[in-house]
Amino acid sequence: MHRRQKTLLAVLLGPALLLGSACGAGNSGTGTGAGAVPPGVAPEHFRHPGVVVGGAQLAAVRRHVAAGEEPWASAYRAMIRSPYASLSYTPHPAKVVACASNAGTDACVAEREDAIAAYTHALAWSVSGETAHAAKAVEIMDAWSETVKEHTRDDADLQTAWSGSSWARAAEIVHSGYPAWGGPAVQRFKWMLRKAYLPDVTAAVPDYNGNWELAMTDAAIGMAVFLEDRTVFEQAVRRYRARVPAYFYLSSDGARPKPPPGGTIDTPDELATYWFGQRTYADGLGQETCRNFMHIGYSLAATAHIAETAWHQGLDLYREQADRLRAALEFHARYQLGATAPKWLCGGKVERTMGPDVEVALNHLEGRMGLKLPQTGKLAASQRPGGTDDLFVAWETLTHARNPTPA
């Protein structure tokens, strides 16, 4: 939620709106991932690479691309032809990244693009074996770790979430297999994540729109794996377990959605305002459905990224919320594909602006769990090869389309 929207809610709901802890108790669940660890407990030994995409998945992608198989071959061509994959790509690091709501300095865009470029080159190196791409990823990451000190202004938490998630994925792939990036450079990059990113992505944002906390948790759990920080990992798991049930509705929740964890919004009128005027709740509806599907897409992608990273570390967060995530995917895919919205839903008008946000969740729920998601499958197929939203989702047809490899 942007600051001016938070101010509006504060006026509507009272001066205490933005106070409170970010984390709630949540559903503890009973995770059963591959080599499962006890629920909520970080692994004793982290698996690398294991931030959103794992080593077995990358190996499968290499085989598919080498064989010219679809949709991976087309997805790889789209990635490698993008400006992000250019070997002449030039990073533009900044000491202070100041991002205001819906505005900000040039550094805000540059940081997000540079982080995606680093991840793009890491993937290009992993698939092609061309060390020039690994070297370019290192050049971009080193440029930022040598420069950036802090993030400021209204959107600092969201900015660090978007860029930080891509940094963690890029660093994880490169550090796992490119020995030329090591020693002081890696330590400096880790220090950058700890000092310039983690304080923001772990901040309390209980009454903001839920896409904030989900994106922040996506970044936090990715950094936790790269940094091998069990405390940050467990904090991210707790936030996931508290926020996801409060963001995507199931009728088993009761007549109304669960209130945002640790926040102040809990009456029927407050919840309806928070849910953008929606007062009728159906399975799969999201807190931002009546805002637009773009932000729902961000939340679906971030939820899947968190669960995917945890799954690669032996903790099955997908299973805990499989019914909820499946309902949310199918509900929004149906309308994104063009189904007419009934009058009870957002006054009969929905904004169909979802990006390439469903591949990771679809791959697990359908490919690993064997669930049926026909609408989501149609949506994913219509978007392939999925590119990037230029924020924090990138090249997920390449990495996750029909790729149910083990952790």
Side-chain angles (χ1 to χ4, degrees):
M1 180 185 295
H2 296 304
R3 282 301 193 271
R4 65 170 178 245
Q5 291 169 310
K6 289 185 292 182
T7 301
L8 174 60
L9 273 178
V11 171
L12 292 172
L13 304 181
L17 176 64
L18 301 178
L19 301 178
S21 168
C23 296
N27 173 18
S28 62
T30 53
T32 55
V37 298
V41 178
E44 194 67 35
H45 302 287
F46 287 95
R47 298 169 179 168
H48 304 289
V51 176
V52 179
V53 60
Q57 286 176 315
L58 290 169
V61 171
R62 284 192 289 274
R63 292 193 299 270
H64 290 312
V65 172
E69 296 170 346
E70 296 295 348
W72 306 277
S74 293
Y76 181 72
R77 285 195 298 272
M79 182 186 77
I80 210 68
R81 291 170 181 170
S82 76
Y84 290 114
S86 171
L87 289 173
S88 61
Y89 187 97
T90 301
H92 295 87
K95 183 176 181 179
V96 177
V97 182
C99 303
S101 298
N102 295 320
T105 62
D106 291 343
C108 304
V109 174
E111 180 183 38
R112 296 193 299 265
E113 291 182 345
D114 286 358
I116 290 174
Y119 179 53
T120 301
H121 283 285
L123 285 175
W125 164 67
S126 180
V127 175
S128 70
E130 295 179 18
T131 57
H133 285 295
K136 178 58 70 171
V138 167
E139 175 191 332
I140 297 168
M141 291 188 289
D142 284 352
W144 277 88
S145 67
E146 292 169 354
T147 306
V148 69
K149 299 300 180 185
E150 63 177 335
H151 296 78
T152 63
R153 304 193 69 181
D154 292 356
D155 280 6
D157 301 342
L158 192 57
Q159 173 73 16
T160 51
W162 287 337
S163 53
S165 60
S166 298
W167 287 135
R169 291 168 212 161
E172 180 75 356
I173 292 173
V174 174
H175 190 232
S176 296
Y178 185 65
W181 191 47
V186 173
Q187 293 306 312
R188 185 175 59 242
F189 191 83
K190 289 181 176 180
W191 187 248
M192 177 193 80
L193 295 181
R194 286 198 180 277
K195 303 301 287 186
Y197 292 85
L198 269 178
D200 291 301
V201 301
T202 56
V205 290
D207 288 331
Y208 293 29
N209 281 322
N211 78 85
W212 275 58
E213 189 166 43
L214 290 168
M216 291 160 67
T217 305
D218 178 6
I221 199 168
M223 292 181 205
V225 172
F226 178 67
L227 297 170
E228 299 196 325
D229 190 317
R230 301 179 77 245
T231 298
V232 173
F233 184 95
E234 292 179 0
Q235 289 172 344
V237 170
R238 287 195 295 272
R239 292 186 89 169
Y240 170 95
R241 286 173 167 162
R243 177 59 72 168
V244 172
Y247 190 88
F248 298 113
Y249 175 79
L250 282 181
S251 57
S252 58
D253 297 335
R256 296 185 298 274
K258 296 176 182 290
T264 62
I265 300 169
D266 55 11
T267 71
D269 286 345
E270 289 170 350
L271 284 166
T273 299
Y274 186 55
W275 284 60
F276 290 86
Q278 184 68 18
R279 290 180 179 272
T280 301
Y281 306 103
D283 284 351
L285 187 77
Q287 182 252 315
E288 295 177 274
T289 298
C290 294
R291 181 186 187 186
N292 55 56
F293 281 19
M294 178 175 66
H295 287 86
I296 285 288
Y298 296 164
S299 298
L300 286 168
T303 297
H305 293 166
I306 298 161
E308 185 76 2
T309 296
W311 190 81
H312 283 297
Q313 302 306 322
L315 179 62
D316 192 351
L317 295 179
Y318 280 116
R319 192 169 297 277
E320 297 178 14
Q321 298 296 340
D323 291 343
R324 194 178 300 274
L325 186 53
R326 179 187 184 186
L329 286 161
E330 287 291 278
F331 182 93
H332 292 95
R334 178 170 177 254
Y335 294 111
Q336 179 67 26
L337 287 167
T340 300
K343 277 292 185 181
W344 64 262
L345 176 62
C346 312
K349 296 179 181 179
V350 294
E351 191 172 319
R352 297 175 173 88
T353 49
M354 190 183 298
D357 301 316
V358 302
E359 291 278 20
V360 176
L362 178 66
N363 180 59
H364 186 91
L365 296 183
E366 189 173 76
R368 295 181 185 134
M369 296 184 69
L371 302 177
K372 300 299 183 184
L373 291 90
Q375 298 297 319
T376 310
K378 290 178 184 177
L379 177 60
S382 73
Q383 295 175 326
R384 289 175 181 157
T388 176
D389 62 3
D390 300 315
L391 298 174
F392 75 114
V393 176
W395 321 121
E396 292 181 355
T397 296
L398 178 65
T399 56
H400 286 82
R402 301 201 303 273
N403 195 354
T405 50

